[in-house]
Amino acid sequence: MMKARKNNIEKREERQFFFFISPWLLGFLIFTLYPMVFSVVLVFTNMDMTGSGQFIGFANIVRALAQDPLFYKSLLNTLYFVLVSVPVSLALAFLIALLLNQRIKGVGFFRTSFYIPYITSGVAVTLLWGWIFNAQFGLVNYSLSLFGISGPNWLSDMKWAMPAIIIMGIWTIGNSIIITLAGLQDIPAQLYESAEIDGASRLVQVTRITLPLVTPTLYFNLVMGIIGGFQIFMQPYILTEGGPNYATYTYMMHIYNSGFKYNEMGFASTLAWLLFIVIMLITQMINRTSKFWVYYDN
């Protein structure tokens, strides 16, 4: 009798479980899984936005790797963005989190101030930075002129356009700061107390205690930063449209233009899956090497 009642309770809980997760499950099947599977099919077709097309085998892959010069140009531009912005963002997020971890008056205000740029409207912030980097009346060049320095044409110069985009990206590191701050606050205070008793300086405490114990958080921010960096699209698209002379033409812009501007959904899907492979390989490489530098205090 008790066993039968227990089975009935378990079945009822199972039905309730599937009922409550059904909205998410339907959303995942319709808006995530189906588009992913369908995009794999598109890789082997020349289908356009109307849904018409035919099977062409591996022609899209051959075109991307051997016939499309913008494939490597956009990939190199994106790699440049990732290789510069991600390490700088990690270092700044760690240093700022160290400062925000201090017990000082008004620290909550500063924590909020650093996080707000991350949640503000991306388009509005990008347009604001476009004004800041304006060559004639922008805030950056005006500030440089006060010191007798003639600022460059940031968004119109091939040498300075991508650095300007990188600075814009670094400005929105509030999420990484908060995550790093959470990792810092998870470090036991007893370790610092013992280090002070042994006469360890503040620098020694940071290098021998803080850095090793916060490496899991840095590892997470590194992976998420690389994934997000490879998907950079909005800032260069709004401000430069990939110019000047494709200096800020990113991989995501190439995917977007191929699919929605040139109406080649099959080729755009191919580019998207090639990007997935690149990100997966880099992520796996970081994961394999993490055992040499990520410390878990078990």
Side-chain angles (χ1 to χ4, degrees), residues 1-232:
M1 183 68 179
M2 290 294 294
K3 186 175 182 181
R5 182 180 300 176
K6 185 177 181 180
N7 290 335
N8 291 334
I9 293 174
E10 290 177 350
K11 290 180 180 179
R12 183 171 68 250
E13 290 178 347
E14 184 178 350
R15 288 194 298 268
Q16 291 175 349
F17 168 77
F18 284 107
F19 173 77
F20 284 116
I21 71 164
S22 59
W24 175 88
L25 189 60
L26 288 174
F28 172 77
L29 293 175
I30 297 173
F31 298 109
T32 302
L33 185 60
Y34 171 73
M36 287 180 63
V37 174
F38 189 64
S39 67
V40 175
V41 177
L42 291 179
V43 170
F44 305 99
T45 69
N46 58 359
M47 190 174 294
D48 55 22
M49 288 288 292
T50 64
S52 60
Q54 57 185 357
F55 179 80
I56 58 174
F58 294 94
N60 283 329
I61 300 176
V62 174
R63 174 186 170 187
L65 298 178
Q67 302 172 0
D68 182 15
L70 289 180
F71 171 81
Y72 293 103
K73 178 64 176 177
S74 61
L75 184 60
L76 288 176
N77 286 340
T78 307
L79 279 172
Y80 173 31
F81 177 86
V82 171
L83 291 175
V84 176
S85 66
V86 172
V88 174
S89 298
L90 283 176
L92 283 178
F94 176 73
L95 293 175
I96 295 173
L98 277 178
L99 296 176
L100 296 179
N101 197 36
Q102 306 302 313
R103 295 181 180 179
I104 57 176
K105 188 176 181 180
V107 69
F109 167 77
F110 292 104
R111 292 175 181 175
T112 304
S113 300
F114 279 107
Y115 188 69
I116 285 177
Y118 177 76
I119 60 176
T120 51
S121 172
V123 175
V125 170
T126 301
L127 292 175
L128 175 63
W129 275 99
W131 172 80
I132 292 174
F133 281 117
N134 187 279
Q136 281 72 39
F137 52 82
L139 183 61
V140 174
N141 281 1
Y142 172 74
S143 301
L144 293 175
S145 67
L146 297 178
F147 299 94
I149 303 174
S150 179
N153 295 325
W154 290 94
L155 299 175
S156 302
D157 192 320
M158 289 182 59
K159 295 180 180 179
W160 292 102
M162 185 57 79
I165 300 296
I166 291 172
I167 293 173
M168 275 187 275
I170 292 174
W171 190 69
T172 58
I173 61 173
N175 191 54
S176 298
I177 293 174
I178 296 301
I179 293 174
T180 306
L181 180 61
L184 292 175
Q185 293 180 343
D186 194 46
I187 300 176
Q190 297 89 335
L191 297 177
Y192 295 108
E193 295 172 358
S194 300
E196 289 180 1
I197 294 174
D198 292 336
S201 65
R202 181 61 180 169
L203 179 60
V204 172
Q205 292 179 36
V206 171
T207 56
R208 299 298 180 88
I209 298 176
T210 307
L211 265 177
L213 292 181
V214 85
T215 48
T217 304
L218 297 179
Y219 168 66
F220 174 81
N221 284 336
L222 174 62
V223 173
M224 298 305 295
I226 289 175
I227 294 174
F230 271 102
Q231 300 178 62
I232 180 70

Side-chain angles (χ1 to χ4, degrees), residues 257-282:
N257 287 339
S258 298
F260 297 99
K261 186 176 181 180
Y262 303 119
N263 200 25
E264 298 179 315
M265 297 305 297
F267 185 62
S269 298
T270 303
L271 294 175
W273 278 105
L274 290 175
L275 177 62
F276 169 78
I277 294 173
V278 171
I279 295 176
M280 181 183 66
L281 291 175
I282 295 176

